[in-house]
Amino acid sequence: MYDNIISLDNLLIAWQEFLCGKKNKKDTREFGRNLMRNIIALHNDLKNKTYKHGEYKSFKISDPKPRDIHKSSVRDRLLHHAIYRVLYPYFDKGFIYDSYSCRLGKGTHKANKRFKSFAGKVSKNYTRTCWILKCDIRKFFANIDHKILIDILRKHIEDENTIWLLEQVTSSYNAKGRDEVGLPLGNLTSQLLVNVYMNEFDHFVKHTLHEEYYIRYADDFVFMSEDKAKLEKIIPKISEFLENNLKLSLHPDKLFINTLTSGLDFLGWIHFERHRVLRTTTKKRMFRNIVEKVGKKETVQSYLGMLKHGNSRKIKDRIAKIINVD
């Protein structure tokens, strides 16, 4: 596995994948000027195990809430792609079907479609009450424990060289004021590693709690049932598992049980029995971006594509007016 990750072939393919959308970035152009020399140097450092992950540059984004993004060097991000290319298919086949974040063929649209399917089954085609337990993990990326993560990885990977490499990447970042805790939001490897981490919880839910109607997208997840009391009883069980096994905690302000009839906020949409509407904050951000980038057709088309997945005729009419006015 390690030889596959660090091979020149894999590093070169990873470079082509890394270039997507970054060709004109200054740091990418600088690395590319001496591409083969830089890739061979990285390969040799990995082969000799003298590789050291560099420091991060941090900046803030609003997506829609403020988030701290940590960006590593081109050299390190190239390695992240090389690791991801080999490890993603290896781990993905072990993930449960209803894990939807950062996976090929999944995503928010598939998760919302599955939500609708589950809601129809639990409510017996909307003839009975469907109760939904909605959960969120407090400061998810910032609370990933490095030691627990490496222990989980060791259960799946026997190659000590690969474990060494993953330790280098994992230990390259610590959440503010905390040693050996946290993964950076900007790393491609972080997307895979948090899924490996939460896969422990997914299998607990499916094989210990035997919950059929469960959907997870990153740190947002829902359970559905006809029985409200049943959902209330599993809250301490999932909380105990998260705290004892993963050192994660449920966000108390984002944990609630509600009926589908009342509407449930999940992955950008408010879900009801037979329709869903766009969340207000998502709607505001969308219109702001369209006004700012009105000349870019791809921005409008992207949002129109998203709006196909819900009840949005009035929103589409408003977008049309914005485009025509401009």
Side-chain angles (χ1 to χ4, degrees):
M1 185 179 287
Y2 186 69
D3 289 342
N4 290 341
I5 292 172
I6 73 168
S7 72
L8 288 172
D9 284 345
N10 190 49
L11 291 173
L12 285 167
I13 296 171
W15 171 252
Q16 294 302 318
E17 293 177 355
F18 169 79
L19 278 180
C20 184
K22 305 182 188 72
K23 286 184 179 180
N24 296 321
K25 299 288 184 180
K26 182 181 177 181
D27 54 356
T28 303
R29 293 201 310 271
E30 288 177 355
F31 190 90
R33 287 194 188 104
N34 296 296
L35 180 62
M36 285 311 301
R37 183 188 302 172
N38 288 329
I39 285 183
I40 290 171
L42 174 58
H43 168 76
N44 288 335
D45 282 350
L46 292 166
K47 184 177 179 180
N48 299 325
K49 295 178 74 173
T50 56
Y51 167 80
K52 297 290 183 184
H53 197 288
E55 296 183 353
Y56 292 87
K57 293 181 179 179
S58 61
F59 57 94
K60 295 183 181 293
I61 64 168
S62 295
D63 185 32
K65 62 183 179 181
R67 295 181 186 274
D68 291 319
I69 302 296
H70 293 83
K71 179 182 176 182
S72 54
S73 68
V74 170
R75 184 176 193 257
D76 292 327
R77 282 182 284 155
L78 167 58
L79 177 60
H80 299 165
H81 276 261
I83 293 171
Y84 188 88
R85 290 195 74 256
V86 174
L87 293 190
Y88 172 80
Y90 176 76
F91 279 107
D92 187 69
K93 59 190 177 185
F95 295 155
I96 68 167
Y97 183 88
D98 288 309
S99 163
Y100 288 88
S101 176
C102 302
R103 296 180 64 193
L104 296 175
K106 299 289 184 176
T108 56
H109 297 326
K110 288 286 181 68
N112 282 324
K113 186 177 180 180
R114 187 70 159 172
F115 184 103
K116 181 179 180 181
S117 173
F118 279 177
K121 290 178 180 178
V122 172
S123 66
K124 302 294 188 291
N125 199 25
Y126 310 112
T127 60
R128 299 183 185 179
T129 301
C130 175
W131 291 95
I132 304 169
L133 168 62
K134 172 76 162 52
C135 304
D136 185 282
I137 293 174
R138 187 199 297 268
K139 296 183 178 178
F140 181 42
F141 276 80
N143 284 313
I144 301 296
D145 185 277
H146 295 178
K147 184 179 183 304
I148 292 175
L149 174 57
I150 296 300
D151 286 343
I152 293 170
L153 291 167
R154 284 186 185 278
K155 294 194 298 185
H156 301 278
I157 299 173
E158 294 181 0
D159 182 2
E160 281 300 319
N161 289 328
T162 302
I163 294 295
W164 171 83
L165 179 57
L166 292 171
E167 285 178 324
Q168 298 303 308
V169 174
T170 301
S171 64
S172 67
Y173 173 83
N174 292 296
K176 291 181 180 179
R178 305 174 69 191
D179 292 333
E180 299 184 357
V181 176
L183 291 178
L185 275 169
N187 280 7
L188 178 63
T189 49
S190 297
Q191 298 176 9
L192 173 62
L193 293 176
V194 294
N195 268 340
V196 173
Y197 202 78
M198 285 299 289
N199 190 49
E200 299 289 299
F201 177 68
D202 293 339
H203 282 275
F204 167 74
V205 169
K206 301 301 288 186
H207 304 304
T208 301
L209 299 182
H210 303 289
E211 289 296 320
E212 182 178 1
Y213 302 110
Y214 163 75
I215 299 171
R216 182 178 66 81
Y217 188 96
D219 59 331
D220 285 345
F221 49 95
V222 294
F223 299 83
M224 297 187 194
S225 176
E226 291 180 57
D227 186 352
K228 181 183 180 183
K230 178 189 174 185
L231 296 179
E232 291 172 337
K233 287 178 182 177
I234 69 171
I235 293 174
K237 293 178 183 178
I238 62 177
S239 178
E240 181 181 6
F241 181 91
L242 288 169
E243 291 180 6
N244 293 345
N245 295 73
L246 301 176
K247 292 189 179 179
L248 298 174
S249 58
L250 295 173
H251 198 306
D253 298 333
K254 297 180 180 180
L255 187 153
F256 54 86
I257 298 176
N258 208 349
T259 63
L260 187 60
T261 306
S262 303
L264 194 285
D265 188 340
F266 186 55
L267 302 182
W269 295 86
I270 310 297
H271 298 258
F272 295 92
E273 286 187 340
R274 298 183 184 275
H275 70 286
R276 55 176 172 252
V277 296
L278 206 60
R279 182 192 294 162
T280 301
T281 53
T282 306
K283 193 190 311 180
K284 288 180 179 178
R285 185 171 73 254
M286 178 186 68
F287 282 124
R288 183 174 63 248
N289 288 339
I290 288 174
V291 170
E292 290 174 356
K293 303 175 182 179
V294 73
K296 296 186 177 181
K297 291 183 179 179
E298 61 270 21
T299 299
V300 175
Q301 292 303 318
S302 175
Y303 282 121
L304 289 176
M306 178 188 72
L307 292 171
K308 290 179 182 177
H309 299 274
N311 297 72
S312 52
R313 184 180 58 79
K314 291 182 179 179
I315 297 175
K316 290 177 183 177
D317 290 344
R318 185 175 167 188
I319 290 174
K321 288 180 180 178
I322 293 173
I323 296 171
N324 290 335
V325 166
D326 287 80

